[in-house]
Amino acid sequence: MKNSIFKKFGLLFLVLVLSVVMAACNDDKEDTSNGSDNSSSGTTDNGSANTNNGDASKLSGEITVWAHPYTDGTTGEGDMWKDLVANFEADTGVKVNFEQIPWANRDQKILTALAAGQGPDVFYVIPDQMPQYAEQQLILDISQYVSQEELSGFVPTAIEATSWKGKQYGMPILQTAESLIYNKDILKELGVDENSLPTNWDEFKALAEKAKAAGYYAFSYAGGGSLNNTIYPFLWQAGGNVIDADNNILINSPESVKAFELINEMYTKGWIPQDSITALEHDSLYYGGKLLAVNGSGISVNYLLAEKPFEFVIAPPLKDAEQLTYGTVGMFVGSAISKNPEAAAEFMKYITNAENQRTFNNITQYIPTRDEAKDIFEAQPFMAQLSEYTKYAKPGVIHPEGRNIMPLVQAEIQAMLEGKQTPQEAADKSADAIDKLINK
């Protein structure tokens, strides 16, 4: 069995090591956000969910769980894990060997351990890792262990992000959602009512022109960063997409091309900074009061509330054909080589129930993937507002080649902004590059 596992891993391991994994890591280490620790309230479900045999007490043995540090270590995260593990052990009789591993080089660490038959039974991934592992049969299809009723309490976008080709592979524990965060001082200078902010592309473009005329940039476009934070949200809003699970390439569809055209218009009209072609971020411009708005999430709220460079207001995600935005999903998955898959699945259900999501997300300040657990933000209006937008949040391109697609598209957009090709040409060349990648 071990030899066959090594064969499975060879190509994937090489791809992961040589790909632009590290370029995507800033996205998948989810942002922490501001807020005081609040006591949980509302209805809770405690303990474990039922296993497929209907009785968690019949479980035994042990499992190994790997997770990452989700805070800076000063919030009681360590004690939280001790309590959660102890409660699960008491409820089920299963011994849990819990280990917290660093974010750096986690792909290599997980793959190497699994290839040696020594990997964890349960570990943490994000949506652009999940389909790679699923296609290589490295993670457990938990559809047999979790019912549709048990999944019904989750935000639909979180379930979408944790399933692949009709099979459930992960149990989601956290989400983020990005939306437009406006500088209220600039809005006031422009004579714009903060309660009547743009809801669609045309309204935003009109406001962008007004901001530029007053000497401000309207928006941050970091062309050297992740496409999740740049063109993808606009592409989804236009009704387009990059690629689907059946390898249909959609990035040069008429809907998708509209997003290329919008980015090109923003650049040629000076609504985004001149270095947008290759910039990694525009935080200094934004926090320095030179940018009207950014697509921000909890990390932006955290900084603005702590440092108070200006007052701000959050608007709902924009809409063209659809109202959508970007937001990642964090999930726990089970190893396909686990010797105790029932216990692994039970731990995944247990750690993501409403009560434990309240505990986890209250400490880490991410957004729960269960609506009933979002009551932890009752005293935090900005986080409560962002948590409402998870229903619009897509987690990027869910595809085994999702990470490797990004630099291909990024290169064509950069060439477009340099004036070397039209938006249609950039989209067509992106499609050609993706086709060569998936059919290599």
Side-chain angles (χ1 to χ4, degrees), residues 10-204:
L11 179 59
L12 177 62
F13 186 83
L14 180 62
V15 171
L16 286 170
V17 171
L18 297 180
S19 70
V20 291
V21 167
M22 296 311 297
C25 284
N26 288 335
D27 272 342
D28 57 56
K29 184 177 178 183
E30 293 81 5
D31 60 335
T32 54
S33 42
N34 184 68
S36 58
D37 288 343
N38 299 313
S39 59
S40 299
S41 60
T43 304
T44 64
D45 58 317
N46 58 13
S48 331
N50 291 330
T51 60
N52 62 327
N53 62 16
D55 188 355
S57 66
K58 293 182 180 179
L59 296 172
S60 62
E62 61 182 85
I63 57 172
T64 296
V65 176
W66 284 2
H68 304 289
Y70 301 94
T71 69
D72 62 5
T74 64
T75 62
E77 183 179 354
D79 290 337
M80 172 195 74
W81 282 117
K82 289 179 182 178
D83 290 342
L84 290 173
V85 166
N87 290 338
F88 179 78
E89 290 178 332
D91 286 349
T92 64
V94 175
K95 176 177 171 52
V96 177
N97 303 306
F98 178 84
E99 182 181 348
Q100 196 169 65
I101 67 171
W103 292 98
N105 301 317
R106 66 192 184 283
D107 280 313
Q108 293 92 326
K109 180 178 176 67
I110 291 169
L111 288 172
T112 301
L114 292 177
Q118 299 173 348
D121 297 273
V122 176
F123 57 100
Y124 178 89
V125 303
I126 57 167
D128 66 357
Q129 293 172 298
M130 180 270 294
Q132 299 178 48
Y133 292 154
E135 286 292 294
Q136 294 294 321
Q137 299 178 14
L138 307 180
I139 55 177
L140 187 66
D141 172 11
I142 61 170
S143 304
Q144 60 187 308
Y145 301 112
V146 58
S147 68
Q148 288 303 309
E149 182 180 357
E150 289 173 316
L151 295 175
S152 64
F154 290 92
V155 178
T157 54
I159 296 302
E160 174 190 354
T162 54
S163 59
W164 175 246
K165 293 185 176 179
K167 297 179 179 179
Q168 191 68 33
Y169 286 100
M171 293 297 287
I173 193 168
L174 64 84
Q175 278 188 283
T176 64
E178 294 190 354
S179 203
L180 286 165
I181 306 179
Y182 288 86
N183 182 323
K184 288 177 67 172
D185 294 339
I186 298 178
L187 288 175
K188 188 178 297 184
E189 182 179 338
L190 298 178
V192 177
D193 182 354
E194 66 180 75
N195 296 310
S196 300
L197 294 172
T199 60
N200 57 49
W201 284 14
D202 288 339
E203 292 173 358
F204 184 77

Side-chain angles (χ1 to χ4, degrees), residues 32 157 177 189 247 252 305 312 424:
T32 54
T157 54
E189 182 179 338
N247 284 341
N252 61 339
L305 290 175
F312 63 96
Q424 182 68 61

Side-chain angles (χ1 to χ4, degrees), residues 218-235:
F219 189 67
S220 168
Y221 186 88
S226 169
L227 300 188
N228 287 329
N229 309 110
T230 53
I231 194 172
Y232 281 177
F234 293 117
L235 190 148

